Amino acid sequence: MNTSAARRVLPGFPLALGYTLVYLSLIVLVPLSAVFLKSATQGWESFWAAISTPRVVASYQLTYGVSLLAAAINAVFGLIFAWVLVRYTFPGKRIVDALVDLPFALPTAVAGIALTAIYAGNGWLGQWLQPLGIKVAFTPLGILVALIFIGLPFVVRTVQPVLEDLSTELEEAAASLGADRWQTFYRVVLPPVLPALLTGFALAFARAVGEYGSVIFIAGNVPMVSEITPLLIITKLEQFDYPGATAIAAVMLVTSFILLFLINGLQAWANRSHGGG
Amino acid sequence: MSIRVQNITKRFGAFVALDDVTLDFPTGELVGLLGPSGCGKTTLLRIIAGLESADGGQVLLDGEDASDAHVRERQVGFVFQHYALFRHMTVFDNVAFGLRVRPRQQRPGEPAIRARVHELLDLVQLSALANRYPTQLSGGQRQRIALARALAVEPRVLLLDEPFGALDAKVRKELRRWLRQLHDALHITSLFVTHDQEEALEVSDQVVVMNRGRVEQVGTPYEVYEQPASPFVYGFLGAVNLFHGRVQDHHLHVGEGSLPLGHNGFQPGAEALGFVRPHELDIETNPAGNAGIAARVERVLAFGPTARVELTGAERESGRFYEVELSRERVAALNLANGQRVRLKPARIRLFAPEPRPAGRTPLPAGSLIGVDGEGI
C-alpha cells in the first residue's frame, strides 16, 4: 500500500477516499441502515405481514410498473426533445431549453395540483378527454402523467451533451454510404448515445419510484387501484406504525437498489460494446 | 463517371459562397480544388455530394441531372477531413457499413462482405487492424480506413474534403503519394479539396483554383504554375515578389528603379503589377545605377538544395519585402553580408493590370511572399 501510494502521481488518494466513505456513510448509509434496524425490531412474521398484504403488494406493482413505463416514455421523448434542442435552431429555442428544467425546480406539490386541475373532469384538458372516455385525474393514468412530468429533464439533460458531441459528419458519412434515416439512427446515432440514455432512464425511474408530492394529488389514492407505496408508508407513519412503515421502506430500498444495479450493469455493457474502444 | 456543375450559386445569408460556378470534371481524373479558406471549394464539393443544396444551378452526374437526388442515391464516396469514422464500430465494421445497410435484395451475403472488406483493407494496407477501434489508430491510418469505407460501396465518384488537413507534415506527404498511386490503380473520378498548393500540384491531374466563390483558373499543375491566369493564382501558387509600377519604354518603372520588359500589351504610362518568382530574381552587388530594384539584404538562409535571401527595400520601407532563391554556389560567390545594399534583377517578369477592386481586398493571401518552406514545387 505504502509503495504503491508513493508511486501514485495524483495526490491525496487516501484523504479523498476516506472523505468519500465518511460522507457516503453519514449522508446515505446511516439513515438507510436505520430503516433496516427499525424494521428489524419486529419479528419476522409481523415484518412479512406488513409487506405482503394485498393492498401493499398492489401498491408495489403500481409504483414500479408506472415508474418504469414513465421512464421508458421519457427515454423516447426525452431523446427526441434533446435531439431537437441540439440539432435545430428555431425561435425561442433558449426559452424551450430553460423550460426543460422547470420540473426540477417546481415544488412537486405545485406540479401535482396544477396537473390535477388541468386533467380533472372539469379542467382545461380533462373536459375534452372526459367525453372520449379517458379519465386521467384520480386514476393510474394520472400517476403516469405526473411521473412523466417530473422525469423528463433527467433524460434530456443527460442525453443533450452527448448529442452535442456527436458530429453531424457521422450522419452525413452514413448517408453517403447509402444508409437511410432509420439505419443512420439506430446504427450510427443511437449506439454512442445509449449509455447516456440509460443513465437518464435510470435517473427518471429512480425519481419516479420515490416521487410523492406530485402523485398524491392526481392519483386519487384509491386502495388497490391508485395508491402508491410512498403514500402507504406515510399512512403507516401517521398511524404510529413505525415498524410497518420501515418494513415497506426496506422492501422499496432493496427493490430499487437491485433495479438500479441492473440498469448500471446494462449501461456498463452498452459502454463496452458501443461507446468503447 | 463525369461530373458537370453548371451555374452553381450558393449563399449563406449575405455571404456568397459560390458565384455562378461552371466546371467539368472528366471521367477518371483526379482533380484538385485549390483555394484559400472560405473560397467555396468545400461547399462545391458538398453540393456535388448532395450534402448541401445549391441555390441555383445543376449538378450533372454522367450527363444526368442529379440536383434533386439525395446523397444516398448519388453513389458518391465522401471522405471527411476529420475522418468521421464510427467510433463504436471496429475498423472491419466501419468498412462493412456501406454494404450492410443495403436493401436486403442487393445486400451481399456475410462471406461476400467479409471478402470485400478484407480486399479493401489490403488495398489500404491495414488488414492487420481489422479488429481495432478507430480511437486506437493514428490519424493517417484513420483516414485510410475512411477511404476504404468510402470505396466499399463502389462509388461512381470519390470526393475528398481536405483529406490530409488534420495530419502532420510527414504523414501528409506519404498519404499524398499513396493517394496518387491508389488513383492510378483504380481510375475512379476523384475530386479533392485542399488549401495546400503543393498538395494540389503534386497529386492532381487537373487543378481548379478558386477564390471568393469563383473559379480563377483550371489547368494542369504545369499550366497553373507556369502560366497563372490572374494575379491571385500567381500569388497563391508559390512564393512571388511583387513590383508595383508604371510601364514606359519597355521598362517597368518602380520608384527610382526600372525593370526591363519584353513584348507586352500595356499602353505606355499604364499602371502594372510585375510578378517575379524568387528563383527568377538575381542579385547585383553593385548598388549604383538604376537598373533593377534597390534592396537591402536582411537574412541569408544557406541551407537545403537552394539558398534563399530575404531582402527589404533599400531604406527599409515598410511593406517592401523580397525573396530571392539562388544556387548555393551563386550565394557563395556573391558573399552577401546582412544589411548590404544590392540591386535585384529579374530574369522573367509577368505583368498584370492592377485589379479595379476595393482597397480592402488584398490580391494575395498573407504569407504568399514567404513561400513554401523551400520544399520546391
Side-chain angles (χ1 to χ4, degrees):
Chain A
M1 179 67 208
N2 257 342
T3 53
S4 73
R7 270 191 249 115
R8 227 184 284 281
V9 175
L10 299 176
F13 173 70
L15 186 66
L17 183 68
Y19 163 79
T20 309
L21 289 180
V22 170
Y23 195 84
L24 184 72
S25 306
L26 281 178
I27 305 290
V28 181
L29 293 180
V30 170
L32 292 191
S33 48
V35 170
F36 287 100
L37 288 175
K38 189 73 191 173
S39 65
T41 55
Q42 58 196 317
W44 171 249
E45 277 177 20
S46 83
F47 178 86
W48 180 250
I51 64 168
S52 63
T53 61
R55 187 174 163 189
V56 176
V57 172
S59 83
Y60 296 148
Q61 286 170 349
L62 180 71
T63 304
Y64 285 98
V66 178
S67 295
L68 275 174
L69 188 58
I73 292 172
N74 271 331
V76 174
F77 288 94
L79 178 61
I80 297 172
F81 208 121
W83 179 266
V84 170
L85 284 179
V86 170
R87 278 296 142 85
Y88 307 107
T89 48
F90 50 90
K93 176 173 165 169
R94 280 166 177 278
I95 295 171
V96 173
D97 199 27
L99 282 175
V100 173
D101 288 330
L102 218 53
F104 274 150
L106 202 64
T108 50
V110 175
I113 292 166
L115 287 172
T116 312
I118 290 169
Y119 285 104
N122 55 1
W124 288 351
L125 286 174
Q127 60 177 322
W128 303 106
L129 294 173
Q130 190 99 315
L132 303 173
I134 302 168
K135 275 192 71 177
V136 179
F138 317 123
T139 64
L141 189 57
I143 302 176
L144 184 67
V145 170
L147 294 184
I148 291 173
F149 175 83
I150 53 133
L152 179 69
F154 290 97
V155 177
V156 176
R157 289 297 182 236
T158 46
V159 170
Q160 205 175 359
V162 181
L163 276 180
E164 269 164 9
D165 281 348
L166 205 66
S167 159
T168 47
E169 281 188 355
L170 292 177
E171 290 159 55
E172 291 176 347
S176 77
L177 292 167
D180 60 31
R181 278 170 206 280
W182 172 245
Q183 287 170 325
T184 304
F185 173 73
Y186 83 84
R187 282 175 183 263
V188 174
V189 177
L190 192 58
V193 173
L194 196 60
L197 190 61
L198 279 171
T199 304
F201 173 81
L203 288 172
F205 169 70
R207 173 70 202 273
V209 167
E211 179 59 18
Y212 176 74
S214 62
V215 175
I216 51 160
F217 290 99
I218 199 168
N221 307 324
V222 182
M224 306 296 292
V225 177
S226 61
E227 194 177 41
I228 56 168
T229 314
L231 179 66
L232 273 178
I233 296 172
I234 300 283
T235 313
K236 290 215 185 281
L237 286 177
E238 281 169 349
Q239 293 159 353
F240 303 106
D241 180 7
Y242 296 135
T246 50
I248 301 174
V251 171
M252 276 197 90
L253 266 176
V254 170
T255 318
S256 300
F257 182 76
I258 291 169
L259 282 171
L260 290 176
F261 196 76
L262 287 177
I263 295 171
N264 257 331
L266 202 62
Q267 203 186 322
W269 168 81
N271 247 331
R272 256 202 316 280
S273 63
H274 295 303
Chain B
M1 184 185 65
S2 68
I3 308 171
R4 180 175 168 79
V5 293
Q6 213 165 296
N7 308 106
I8 291 281
T9 304
K10 177 74 180 177
R11 279 189 184 76
F12 295 107
F15 177 73
V16 181
L18 291 171
D19 186 3
D20 196 21
V21 171
T22 299
L23 280 170
D24 272 302
F25 303 100
T27 307
E29 287 208 339
L30 178 57
V31 181
L33 287 174
L34 175 66
S37 52
C39 74
K41 55 192 191 301
T42 292
T43 307
L44 181 62
L45 197 74
R46 290 174 60 85
I47 287 174
I48 294 171
L51 295 172
E52 204 99 54
S53 59
D55 296 334
Q58 288 176 309
V59 177
L60 304 172
L61 300 179
D62 251 347
E64 281 173 43
D65 187 2
S67 308
D68 295 325
H70 191 271
V71 53
R72 263 197 304 282
E73 298 148 9
R74 292 196 190 186
Q75 278 182 279
V76 294
F78 202 96
V79 175
F80 295 83
Q81 180 177 2
H82 297 287
Y83 330 121
L85 291 178
F86 307 130
R87 264 185 318 173
H88 58 282
M89 296 182 199
T90 60
V91 162
F92 183 95
D93 291 335
N94 263 285
V95 177
F97 183 88
L99 300 170
R100 286 183 175 153
V101 296
R102 283 193 182 164
R104 199 173 292 276
Q105 313 87 280
Q106 299 163 30
R107 195 185 310 159
E110 199 57 29
I113 290 179
R114 197 167 292 278
R116 176 85 181 122
V117 170
H118 281 297
E119 191 184 310
L120 284 161
L121 288 177
D122 283 339
L123 185 70
V124 299
Q125 298 151 14
L126 289 174
S127 20
L129 305 178
N131 294 318
R132 299 269 190 95
Y133 283 92
T135 45
Q136 296 168 311
L137 306 181
S138 71
Q141 290 171 333
R142 285 185 211 184
Q143 198 56 292
R144 274 145 71 184
I145 295 301
L147 195 58
R149 182 179 69 176
L151 289 172
V153 294
E154 286 161 20
R156 301 188 291 171
V157 190
L158 195 57
L159 306 173
L160 306 107
D161 182 14
E162 301 257 3
F164 314 129
L167 303 170
D168 61 61
K170 192 161 181 281
V171 181
R172 270 174 103 110
K173 260 192 112 99
E174 275 171 31
L175 276 191
R176 225 186 265 169
R177 200 170 308 130
W178 175 81
L179 176 68
R180 183 66 234 183
Q181 285 167 358
L182 191 74
H183 182 265
D184 290 339
L186 298 176
H187 279 296
I188 175 169
T189 310
S190 308
L191 258 68
F192 82 103
V193 157
T194 179
H195 60 258
D196 180 341
Q197 76 279 15
E198 200 189 329
E199 192 167 290
L201 296 177
E202 199 175 294
V203 178
S204 333
D205 296 315
Q206 291 274 323
V207 179
V208 175
V209 186
M210 294 184 65
N211 186 34
R212 292 156 52 93
R214 291 175 160 278
V215 175
E216 293 270 341
Q217 189 174 2
V218 182
T220 63
Y222 180 85
E223 282 166 1
V224 293
Y225 187 76
E226 292 297 329
Q227 295 139 32
S230 68
F232 173 81
V233 177
Y234 213 117
F236 197 72
L237 293 175
V240 69
N241 294 288
L242 189 59
F243 300 98
H244 192 168
R246 212 165 272 284
V247 178
Q248 198 83 57
D249 311 325
H250 294 291
H251 280 75
L252 181 68
H253 295 272
V254 184
E256 38 70 63
S258 71
L259 306 171
L261 296 172
H263 177 75
N264 64 77
F266 279 76
Q267 295 293 321
E271 249 188 283
L273 284 171
F275 285 74
V276 184
R277 297 255 186 238
H279 64 86
E280 295 166 343
L281 272 179
D282 194 13
I283 292 177
E284 177 73 60
T285 46
N286 173 18
N290 63 354
I293 302 291
R296 186 195 286 263
V297 177
E298 279 292 304
R299 245 153 74 85
V300 180
L301 304 166
F303 50 80
T306 57
R308 282 180 302 143
V309 185
E310 295 175 0
L311 307 102
T312 57
E315 305 307 325
R316 294 215 166 95
E317 304 94 323
S318 68
R320 293 259 174 100
F321 179 84
Y322 309 112
E323 187 182 312
V324 180
E325 208 174 300
L326 299 169
S327 69
R328 291 173 70 167
E329 294 74 30
R330 175 81 180 133
V331 167
L334 286 170
N335 194 20
L336 297 168
N338 286 358
Q340 187 180 347
R341 285 160 185 273
V342 295
R343 298 195 81 84
L344 298 176
K345 286 188 167 170
R348 200 180 103 155
I349 187 163
R350 177 91 198 255
L351 287 189
F352 288 101
E355 286 173 69
R357 295 204 191 171
R361 178 191 183 265
T362 39
L364 302 173
S368 66
L369 292 173
I370 296 157
V372 285
D373 312 320
E375 291 204 354
I377 296 168

